[in-house]
């Protein structure tokens, strides 16, 4: 994620195409299931939004090997998995907001205390199974069921963005894992009019600005990560301890 600082604002430049952890989707309302579309063939309209999967840390080993990067390498913390980690991505944005005094140290201390007090976690939400009729395909009998993996929408954010938490089954382990996404509607991009009604071309970018009016979105993201699971809770608390220490160095 590339960003620059200009006039006490954090400006994110996001390529206007589907890549990595960023997907452009369309839906009719904020609670609909979004469908990814080709930005080179389809056009951006008022149903378009960006779904971004953002993390908050990176293993120290990955940074040392050069496979991952972060600006915050002056101090590490020990993650819930026992590994050394540096703050990254969301934490980098949060750090910049602190240095710009968009978020005060007192607010960070209060946020950490609040998250330390969380007792309910999203990954503890029960998964329901619905049984349907039996069916036969190619002479083989099956019994059909539907496993409901809930998605939580936090829509009380600012600038019509929203935070979504999708409960998904773990691929190589038992249980579930919460995946956190930050969703930005087309209208929330500073330069939305440049691409509205158009398809994307190589080099096109959307600009999203974080300032005093919407910086609380970063706080909300930390809160949601802090309640995603006990593992996330541990890591977010450590990050909120580490960031002020980096600033004070």
């Amino acid at each position: 994620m590339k960003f620059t600082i200009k006039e006490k604002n954090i400006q994110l430049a996001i390529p206007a195409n589907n890549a990595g952890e960023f997907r452009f989707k369309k839906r009719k309302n904020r609670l609909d299931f979004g469908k990814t579309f080709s930005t080179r063939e389809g056009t951006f309209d008022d149903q378009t939004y960006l779904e971004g999967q953002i993390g908050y840390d990176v293993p120290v080993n990955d940074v040392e090997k050069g496979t991952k990067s972060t600006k915050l390498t002056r101090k590490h913390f020990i993650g819930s998995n026992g590994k050394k980690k540096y703050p990254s991505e969301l934490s980098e944005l949060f750090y910049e907001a602190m240095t710009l005094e968009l978020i005060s140290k007192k607010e960070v201390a209060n946020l950490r205390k609040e998250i330390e007090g969380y007792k309910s976690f999203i990954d503890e939400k029960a998964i329901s199974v619905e049984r349907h009729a039996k069916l036969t395909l190619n002479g083989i009998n099956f019994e059909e069921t539907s496993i409901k993996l809930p998605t939580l929408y936090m829509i009380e954010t600012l600038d019509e963005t929203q935070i979504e938490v999708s409960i998904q089954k773990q691929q190589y382990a038992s249980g579930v894992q919460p995946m956190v996404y930050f969703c930005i509607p087309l209208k929330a991009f500073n330069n939305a009019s440049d691409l509205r009604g158009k398809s994307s071309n190589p080099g096109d970018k959307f600009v999203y600005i974080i300032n005093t009016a919407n910086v609380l979105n970063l706080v909300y993201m930390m809160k949601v990560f802090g309640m995603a699971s006990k593992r996330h809770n541990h890591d977010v608390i450590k990050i909120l301890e580490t960031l002020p220490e980096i600033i004070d160095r």
Side-chain angles (χ1 to χ4, degrees):
M1 180 186 301
K2 293 184 178 180
F3 62 87
T4 57
I5 307 300
K6 187 176 181 180
E7 298 176 356
K8 293 199 72 172
N9 295 330
I10 304 170
Q11 298 190 6
L12 280 69
I14 302 170
N17 60 279
N18 299 316
E21 297 171 339
F22 295 93
R23 292 284 183 270
F24 284 94
K25 296 185 173 184
K26 293 191 180 189
R27 60 184 168 197
K28 294 181 180 179
N29 65 65
R30 300 176 77 178
L31 301 182
D32 267 356
F33 179 78
K35 294 184 178 180
T36 305
F37 71 99
S38 170
T39 62
R40 299 290 167 83
E41 298 175 1
T43 58
F44 296 101
D45 57 28
D46 288 337
Q47 293 185 1
T48 301
Y49 69 101
L50 173 71
E51 178 188 85
Q53 184 181 354
I54 187 169
Y56 52 69
D57 64 21
V58 62
V60 170
N61 286 343
D62 289 352
V63 175
E64 292 175 344
K65 289 186 294 185
T67 57
K68 297 284 181 67
S69 64
T70 177
K71 296 180 179 180
L72 304 178
T73 57
R74 282 178 284 170
K75 185 175 177 60
H76 70 268
F77 67 94
I78 304 300
S80 60
N81 59 3
K83 294 183 179 180
K84 294 181 180 179
K85 294 185 174 184
Y86 289 131
S88 70
E89 296 190 9
L90 173 62
S91 300
E92 291 176 88
L93 297 175
F94 202 93
Y95 169 83
E96 295 294 349
M98 291 177 65
T99 60
L100 293 172
E101 298 183 345
L102 299 176
I103 301 174
S104 69
K105 289 183 180 179
K106 183 177 180 180
E107 288 172 321
V108 175
N110 290 338
L111 176 61
R112 188 185 73 243
K113 186 178 296 185
E114 177 183 331
I115 293 175
E116 285 174 341
Y118 288 170
K119 303 300 181 185
S120 300
F121 300 97
I122 294 171
D123 70 340
E124 296 172 350
K125 187 172 176 60
I127 295 175
S128 60
V129 178
E130 291 184 355
R131 288 175 170 78
H132 303 291
K134 295 180 180 180
L135 70 157
T136 301
L137 297 173
N138 300 314
I140 298 178
N141 297 324
F142 294 90
E143 186 164 334
E144 182 183 3
T145 65
S146 294
I147 299 174
K148 285 192 172 182
L149 297 173
T151 297
L152 281 65
Y153 299 86
M154 181 182 177
I155 60 175
E156 295 178 0
T157 52
L158 306 171
D159 60 21
E160 296 191 47
T161 56
Q162 66 188 46
I163 300 168
E164 300 180 9
V165 187
S166 176
I167 308 298
Q168 300 180 12
K169 291 193 296 183
Q170 295 191 54
Q171 280 187 302
Y172 304 108
S174 61
V176 298
Q177 59 182 350
M179 308 299 291
V180 180
Y181 302 91
F182 185 58
C183 298
I184 307 174
L186 182 70
K187 66 178 75 174
F189 289 110
N190 187 255
N191 62 334
S193 60
D194 294 345
L195 287 171
R196 181 179 278 108
K198 301 177 183 177
S199 301
S200 67
N201 291 308
D204 285 342
K205 289 181 171 59
F206 280 111
V207 176
Y208 180 69
I209 295 178
I210 300 172
N211 52 31
T212 54
N214 64 357
V215 72
L216 275 179
N217 285 339
L218 299 181
V219 175
Y220 293 145
M221 286 288 289
M222 285 293 188
K223 288 184 178 184
V224 171
F225 269 119
M227 68 178 71
S229 70
K230 290 180 179 178
R231 300 185 306 277
H232 285 295
N233 183 269
H234 171 277
D235 291 346
V236 169
I237 290 169
K238 289 298 183 183
I239 286 169
L240 294 176
E241 291 174 352
T242 301
L243 294 181
E245 293 175 2
I246 294 175
I247 290 175
D248 289 340
R249 281 194 166 191

